[in-house]
Amino acid sequence: VTGLDAITTYDFYVQAVCGPADYSSWTGPLAFATLCDVFVPDYLQDFTTITPDCWDVADNGDPTTGPTDLGNSSWVADEFLNIGADDGAYKINLFFNNKRDWLISPLFDLTGGPFQVEFDFGITDWNSDTNPGTLGSDDLVQLLMTNDGGATWITLVTYDSTSVVPITGAHPVVNLTAYSGQTVQFAIYATDGAIDD
């Protein structure tokens, strides 16, 4: 079947044709959903639904290996900077050690740019909306991108123990002109490293 929209549910019906004027009753409606397609920017994800269509999470792997254990993660729904209801943002608690979690975007076709990726980012004390937080000595949060189907991941933005983020958060903007014409995928990778601090 051609001409269908991505991430759309369709109904269909089935009827047996045994010969001229010899038809069974219709069966249905039966339903199926089409898979995700490559998105062409402009694109906005407001995270009011967790996990959004065509996004995925993972709870293992690192930027050298890529994500593993897809579908599991410590990322949870929250309001940005712990203000309000539990929607509109993802958060992760980097408190103990050995956590390696991913938030993975759909694919994007960067033909016809220039394009950029931007997002809001904050660090707070646990469940606080008034105390800016700091990352532990080996904690790391990175915006990554792959342009080879996940074989390698390119670091675009890094936050670590030296990063100072105001309680109001940061809004990084990354120019993607160097990747024009490529199909890419983004990920937010978060780890609290091997040290429990």
Side-chain angles (χ1 to χ4, degrees):
V1 178
T2 61
L4 302 181
D5 293 328
I7 55 172
T8 303
T9 300
Y10 289 91
D11 291 334
F12 68 96
Y13 299 80
V14 177
Q15 182 182 54
V17 178
C18 297
D22 187 9
Y23 303 102
S24 71
S25 299
W26 285 101
T27 301
L30 304 169
F32 70 94
T34 53
L35 299 175
C36 294
D37 202 354
V38 177
F39 288 89
V40 176
D42 291 344
Y43 176 89
L44 172 67
Q45 180 51 250
D46 61 11
F47 296 115
T48 54
T49 301
I50 304 291
T51 302
D53 285 339
C54 304
W55 286 71
D56 209 346
V57 293
D59 71 353
N60 214 337
D62 61 44
T64 62
T65 65
T68 60
D69 297 331
L70 293 173
N72 298 304
S73 176
S74 296
W75 288 99
V76 296
D78 196 13
E79 191 66 28
F80 186 61
L81 300 174
N82 302 311
I83 301 169
D86 286 347
D87 68 0
Y90 267 102
K91 78 173 178 181
I92 191 166
N93 181 16
L94 298 179
F95 184 72
F96 295 110
N97 61 330
N98 296 317
K99 187 178 293 180
R100 297 179 296 169
D101 288 63
W102 295 73
L103 175 61
I104 307 161
S105 80
L107 295 168
F108 293 94
D109 179 353
L110 299 185
T111 301
F115 296 113
Q116 63 191 32
V117 62
E118 55 187 278
F119 58 99
D120 294 318
F121 179 80
I123 305 171
T124 67
D125 283 348
W126 175 247
N127 279 338
S128 171
D129 61 3
T130 58
N131 296 327
T134 57
L135 294 173
S137 63
D138 63 344
D139 294 358
L140 193 65
V141 179
Q142 294 179 306
L143 172 65
L144 305 172
M145 183 186 75
T146 182
N147 58 0
D148 59 10
T152 58
W153 290 87
I154 302 160
T155 302
L156 299 175
V157 177
T158 296
Y159 293 97
D160 59 20
S161 62
T162 65
S163 301
V164 178
V165 178
I167 189 59
T168 55
H171 186 85
V173 177
V174 180
N175 184 322
L176 300 174
T177 302
Y179 305 100
S180 291
Q182 299 180 26
T183 299
V184 302
Q185 186 173 30
F186 300 98
I188 303 284
Y189 170 72
T191 180
D192 48 14
I195 299 171
D196 182 0
D197 64 349

